[in-house]
PDB file of all heavy atoms in Angstrom:
ATOM      1  N   LEU A 313       4.965  -1.375  17.807  1.00 63.00           N
ATOM      2  CA  LEU A 313       6.297  -0.947  18.202  1.00 63.00           C
ATOM      3  C   LEU A 313       6.570  -1.268  19.727  1.00 63.00           C
ATOM      4  O   LEU A 313       7.650  -1.390  20.173  1.00 63.00           O
ATOM      5  CB  LEU A 313       6.601   0.549  17.941  1.00 63.00           C
ATOM      6  CG  LEU A 313       6.864   0.845  16.492  1.00 63.00           C
ATOM      7  CD1 LEU A 313       6.911   2.382  16.283  1.00 63.00           C
ATOM      8  CD2 LEU A 313       8.141   0.157  16.030  1.00 63.00           C
ATOM      9  N   ASN A 375       8.243   7.706  15.179  1.00 83.00           N
ATOM     10  CA  ASN A 375       8.631   6.335  14.851  1.00 83.00           C
ATOM     11  C   ASN A 375       7.529   5.647  14.150  1.00 83.00           C
ATOM     12  O   ASN A 375       7.815   4.777  13.248  1.00 83.00           O
ATOM     13  CB  ASN A 375       8.965   5.573  16.116  1.00 83.00           C
ATOM     14  CG  ASN A 375      10.372   5.971  16.647  1.00 83.00           C
ATOM     15  OD1 ASN A 375      11.080   6.610  15.972  1.00 83.00           O
ATOM     16  ND2 ASN A 375      10.594   5.495  17.861  1.00 83.00           N
ATOM     17  N   ILE A 378       7.640   6.211  10.436  1.00 86.00           N
ATOM     18  CA  ILE A 378       8.804   5.614   9.848  1.00 86.00           C
ATOM     19  C   ILE A 378       8.436   4.090   9.673  1.00 86.00           C
ATOM     20  O   ILE A 378       8.773   3.479   8.703  1.00 86.00           O
ATOM     21  CB  ILE A 378      10.018   5.783  10.720  1.00 86.00           C
ATOM     22  CG1 ILE A 378      10.453   7.285  10.748  1.00 86.00           C
ATOM     23  CG2 ILE A 378      11.173   4.899  10.249  1.00 86.00           C
ATOM     24  CD1 ILE A 378      11.426   7.591  11.804  1.00 86.00           C
ATOM     25  N   GLN A 379       7.826   3.481  10.720  1.00 83.00           N
ATOM     26  CA  GLN A 379       7.404   2.088  10.554  1.00 83.00           C
ATOM     27  C   GLN A 379       6.469   1.877   9.426  1.00 83.00           C
ATOM     28  O   GLN A 379       6.621   0.968   8.622  1.00 83.00           O
ATOM     29  CB  GLN A 379       6.968   1.577  11.850  1.00 83.00           C
ATOM     30  CG  GLN A 379       6.486   0.112  11.732  1.00 83.00           C
ATOM     31  CD  GLN A 379       5.627  -0.439  12.803  1.00 83.00           C
ATOM     32  OE1 GLN A 379       5.818  -0.086  13.964  1.00 83.00           O
ATOM     33  NE2 GLN A 379       4.521  -1.140  12.525  1.00 83.00           N
ATOM     34  N   PHE A 417       9.872  -4.710  13.334  1.00 75.00           N
ATOM     35  CA  PHE A 417      10.435  -3.380  13.078  1.00 75.00           C
ATOM     36  C   PHE A 417      10.957  -2.540  14.206  1.00 75.00           C
ATOM     37  O   PHE A 417      11.554  -1.554  14.109  1.00 75.00           O
ATOM     38  CB  PHE A 417       9.386  -2.482  12.290  1.00 75.00           C
ATOM     39  CG  PHE A 417       9.531  -2.614  10.833  1.00 75.00           C
ATOM     40  CD1 PHE A 417       8.556  -3.319  10.035  1.00 75.00           C
ATOM     41  CD2 PHE A 417      10.595  -1.993  10.198  1.00 75.00           C
ATOM     42  CE1 PHE A 417       8.796  -3.414   8.654  1.00 75.00           C
ATOM     43  CE2 PHE A 417      10.751  -2.040   8.829  1.00 75.00           C
ATOM     44  CZ  PHE A 417       9.848  -2.808   8.128  1.00 75.00           C
ATOM     45  N   ASP A 418      10.704  -3.085  15.404  1.00 78.00           N
ATOM     46  CA  ASP A 418      11.153  -2.325  16.566  1.00 78.00           C
ATOM     47  C   ASP A 418      12.687  -2.151  16.531  1.00 78.00           C
ATOM     48  O   ASP A 418      13.243  -1.145  16.830  1.00 78.00           O
ATOM     49  CB  ASP A 418      10.702  -2.973  17.929  1.00 78.00           C
ATOM     50  CG  ASP A 418      11.080  -4.451  17.973  1.00 78.00           C
ATOM     51  OD1 ASP A 418      11.404  -5.072  16.875  1.00 78.00           O
ATOM     52  OD2 ASP A 418      10.932  -5.035  19.019  1.00 78.00           O
ATOM     53  N   GLY A 419      13.407  -3.271  16.151  1.00 84.00           N
ATOM     54  CA  GLY A 419      14.826  -3.247  16.055  1.00 84.00           C
ATOM     55  C   GLY A 419      15.305  -2.288  14.995  1.00 84.00           C
ATOM     56  O   GLY A 419      16.330  -1.607  15.152  1.00 84.00           O
ATOM     57  N   VAL A 420      14.563  -2.240  13.912  1.00 88.00           N
ATOM     58  CA  VAL A 420      14.948  -1.376  12.785  1.00 88.00           C
ATOM     59  C   VAL A 420      14.787   0.106  13.198  1.00 88.00           C
ATOM     60  O   VAL A 420      15.713   0.966  13.020  1.00 88.00           O
ATOM     61  CB  VAL A 420      14.136  -1.650  11.553  1.00 88.00           C
ATOM     62  CG1 VAL A 420      14.399  -0.578  10.453  1.00 88.00           C
ATOM     63  CG2 VAL A 420      14.350  -3.041  11.002  1.00 88.00           C
ATOM     64  N   VAL A 421      13.658   0.395  13.856  1.00 86.00           N
ATOM     65  CA  VAL A 421      13.455   1.789  14.297  1.00 86.00           C
ATOM     66  C   VAL A 421      14.489   2.223  15.347  1.00 86.00           C
ATOM     67  O   VAL A 421      14.926   3.366  15.282  1.00 86.00           O
ATOM     68  CB  VAL A 421      11.972   1.858  14.884  1.00 86.00           C
ATOM     69  CG1 VAL A 421      11.738   3.311  15.468  1.00 86.00           C
ATOM     70  CG2 VAL A 421      10.999   1.678  13.739  1.00 86.00           C
ATOM     71  N   LYS A 422      14.804   1.387  16.251  1.00 87.00           N
ATOM     72  CA  LYS A 422      15.854   1.702  17.247  1.00 87.00           C
ATOM     73  C   LYS A 422      17.143   1.971  16.617  1.00 87.00           C
ATOM     74  O   LYS A 422      17.930   2.724  17.034  1.00 87.00           O
ATOM     75  CB  LYS A 422      15.908   0.631  18.284  1.00 87.00           C
ATOM     76  CG  LYS A 422      14.729   0.521  19.201  1.00 87.00           C
ATOM     77  CD  LYS A 422      14.791  -0.725  20.150  1.00 87.00           C
ATOM     78  CE  LYS A 422      13.545  -0.878  21.015  1.00 87.00           C
ATOM     79  NZ  LYS A 422      13.585  -2.060  21.823  1.00 87.00           N
ATOM     80  N   ALA A 423      17.467   1.108  15.550  1.00 91.00           N
ATOM     81  CA  ALA A 423      18.694   1.335  14.894  1.00 91.00           C
ATOM     82  C   ALA A 423      18.865   2.633  14.198  1.00 91.00           C
ATOM     83  O   ALA A 423      19.983   3.101  13.994  1.00 91.00           O
ATOM     84  CB  ALA A 423      18.945   0.221  13.875  1.00 91.00           C
ATOM     85  N   LEU A 424      17.699   3.224  13.846  1.00 92.00           N
ATOM     86  CA  LEU A 424      17.716   4.525  13.178  1.00 92.00           C
ATOM     87  C   LEU A 424      17.937   5.685  14.122  1.00 92.00           C
ATOM     88  O   LEU A 424      18.070   6.906  13.615  1.00 92.00           O
ATOM     89  CB  LEU A 424      16.443   4.692  12.409  1.00 92.00           C
ATOM     90  CG  LEU A 424      16.155   3.842  11.172  1.00 92.00           C
ATOM     91  CD1 LEU A 424      14.740   3.784  10.708  1.00 92.00           C
ATOM     92  CD2 LEU A 424      17.053   4.346  10.040  1.00 92.00           C
ATOM     93  N   VAL A 425      17.930   5.492  15.440  1.00 88.00           N
ATOM     94  CA  VAL A 425      17.981   6.592  16.461  1.00 88.00           C
ATOM     95  C   VAL A 425      19.151   7.561  16.128  1.00 88.00           C
ATOM     96  O   VAL A 425      18.987   8.826  16.233  1.00 88.00           O
ATOM     97  CB  VAL A 425      18.082   5.999  17.817  1.00 88.00           C
ATOM     98  CG1 VAL A 425      18.545   7.117  18.822  1.00 88.00           C
ATOM     99  CG2 VAL A 425      16.735   5.484  18.253  1.00 88.00           C
ATOM    100  N   ARG A 428      18.539  10.727  14.051  1.00 84.00           N
ATOM    101  CA  ARG A 428      17.662  11.858  14.604  1.00 84.00           C
ATOM    102  C   ARG A 428      18.590  13.050  14.975  1.00 84.00           C
ATOM    103  O   ARG A 428      18.061  14.162  14.950  1.00 84.00           O
ATOM    104  CB  ARG A 428      16.841  11.353  15.691  1.00 84.00           C
ATOM    105  CG  ARG A 428      15.735  10.399  15.258  1.00 84.00           C
ATOM    106  CD  ARG A 428      14.732  10.245  16.402  1.00 84.00           C
ATOM    107  NE  ARG A 428      13.625   9.388  15.980  1.00 84.00           N
ATOM    108  CZ  ARG A 428      12.523   9.815  15.278  1.00 84.00           C
ATOM    109  NH1 ARG A 428      12.477  11.097  14.919  1.00 84.00           N
ATOM    110  NH2 ARG A 428      11.604   8.985  14.869  1.00 84.00           N
TER     111      ARG A 428
END
Side-chain angles (χ1 to χ4, degrees):
L313 284 171
N375 283 349
I378 295 168
Q379 179 196 315
F417 266 108
D418 52 346
V420 173
V421 172
K422 289 176 182 176
L424 288 164
V425 164
R428 290 194 175 277

